Amino acid sequence: MNTSPFLHTISKELPLIHQLCSLTETNWFNPAIKTTSEGLRHVGLTKEHIDEAEQRMIRFAPFFRAVYPETRGSHGIIESPLRRIPHMQQHLQQNTGIKIPGTLLIKLDSELPISGSIKARGGIYEVLVYAEQLALTNGLLPHSSDYEIFTTTEFKGFFSQYSIVVGSTGNLGLSIGIISRALGFNAIIHMSTDARQWKKDMLRAIGAHVIEHSADYSQAVQAGREKAANTNFCHFVDDENSTNLFLGYAVAARRLKKQLMEAGITVDSHHPLFVYLPCGVGGGPGGVSFGLKTEFGDNVHCIFVEPTHSPSMFLGVYTGLHDQICVQDIGLDNRTIADGLACGRPSGFVGQAMQYLIDGYTTVSDSNLQTLLKQLYAKEGIFIEPSSTAGFKGMLHTIKNQDYLNRIGMSAEKISNATHIVWATGGSMVPEKEKALYLHAS
Ligand SMILES: *Cc1c(COP(=O)(O)O)cnc(C)c1O
């Protein structure tokens, strides 16, 4: 273990640092959480901002319907299914000896149209904001235009003067690259060393410019930021700070509310909802949680899950240092099979904005991610990528933690009415060959 003076000092006051350093699975349920109405005041964004994002997506629905036939069933809205997974629930109970009270569901953002990951929410949304703003300020979008106009060669020609730049571990790059090219933008994608080869190949095939870095995610983002600052006609998608990405993710919650209602599932003070979200830099799970809190208030409990090698949001909130600390500072390597979560430094704003609204932070080992991936496929026939399975372990950590459950007033009776949603964040774009490797790896 790293024995720097810094580490020595912080780990004296914060005992879980030792556990994080030893790469054992760790959980921390923040005792400083506040009620939803108090916590939301710290976010700096409101429900009205989510309304705006939702409306913008509705305006673009005709564009999506025209360009992506797979969105026609949902009338041009990019959304994913919510599914019950009783066989997985039963299997996990038998396998771990932990009783899972209530109902287990999976939210399949792994099957989101267009880019097959949660990044099809925030990533696509941010590019839409930029495209709409350019079109408006250049007088291309008279009032009440039908946004199918974004499919025309005039629009594409206009956008080809502009570039979108992003730094990514893979999925954000994929999502931004795909939508940018579809609208006619140049796409410049800075990929970290974690990015899978097939994601880079796919992007190059659609005409995106992929720049490969031998360094990790934070440095790929920094390279993108610098490049964009020196380029005209250019927009940098800042995964570490963007509120538009965050709002794009947040819209998920109101759609989920409708799906729960359609499934006959109640969420109220006697029927709590627990949501387990894989966390990388924090924008995805943070944005979704923001939305969930505005919809379900104190009846929803959000728990973040990170790889043992990359617990950046855990570390940032637990130490109160947020983006002033990274996992390398405590001697961790940020190397994990969960490529979508390999972010060593947390977002500059999500941890601070959301800290009073996130109940807990947990970690999961790579070998458990791998096992869960296989179990889910065997029991439910659902394939998701390694990052995406993290939520299952977050759930097991949570329902085992009686101190936390007592603190939030979760009686045995109340938790027997609970709904648990494991948020699956990516997977449907993984090529068959890669899937087979994941499913057969030992
Ligand atoms: C990006 C990503 C996440 C987490 O989102 P962040 O905004 O990085 O926290 C989770 N799972 C997958 C598969 C991802 O690609």
Side-chain angles (χ1 to χ4, degrees), residues 117-119 171 239 249 278-285 340-341 343 385 387-388 425-426:
S117 82
I118 191 169
K119 305 302 192 304
N171 285 338
D239 197 19
Y249 294 120
C279 177
V281 72
L341 311 180
C343 303
E385 64 186 84
S387 303
S388 201
T425 43

Side-chain angles (χ1 to χ4, degrees), residues 64-115:
F64 287 111
R65 254 191 336 249
V67 179
Y68 298 100
E70 71 264 36
T71 65
R72 283 186 198 146
S74 56
H75 310 287
I77 297 299
I78 303 164
E79 198 38 73
S80 74
L82 176 69
R83 199 183 300 169
R84 289 176 197 259
I85 41 170
H87 304 295
M88 184 67 174
Q89 182 168 7
Q90 199 183 14
H91 176 76
L92 285 174
Q93 294 191 132
Q94 281 168 356
N95 218 35
T96 61
I98 300 168
K99 166 124 184 64
I100 303 169
T103 308
L104 175 60
L105 297 128
I106 191 165
K107 178 64 174 156
L108 289 167
D109 274 8
S110 46
E111 292 174 18
L112 277 173
I114 303 174
S115 75

Side-chain angles (χ1 to χ4, degrees), residues 291-316:
L292 288 169
K293 282 290 176 181
T294 65
E295 294 297 328
F296 300 105
D298 296 329
N299 301 322
V300 67
H301 303 278
C302 302
I303 288 101
F304 286 5
V305 196
E306 294 172 285
T308 50
H309 284 256
S310 191
S312 56
M313 185 59 70
F314 187 141
L315 190 63

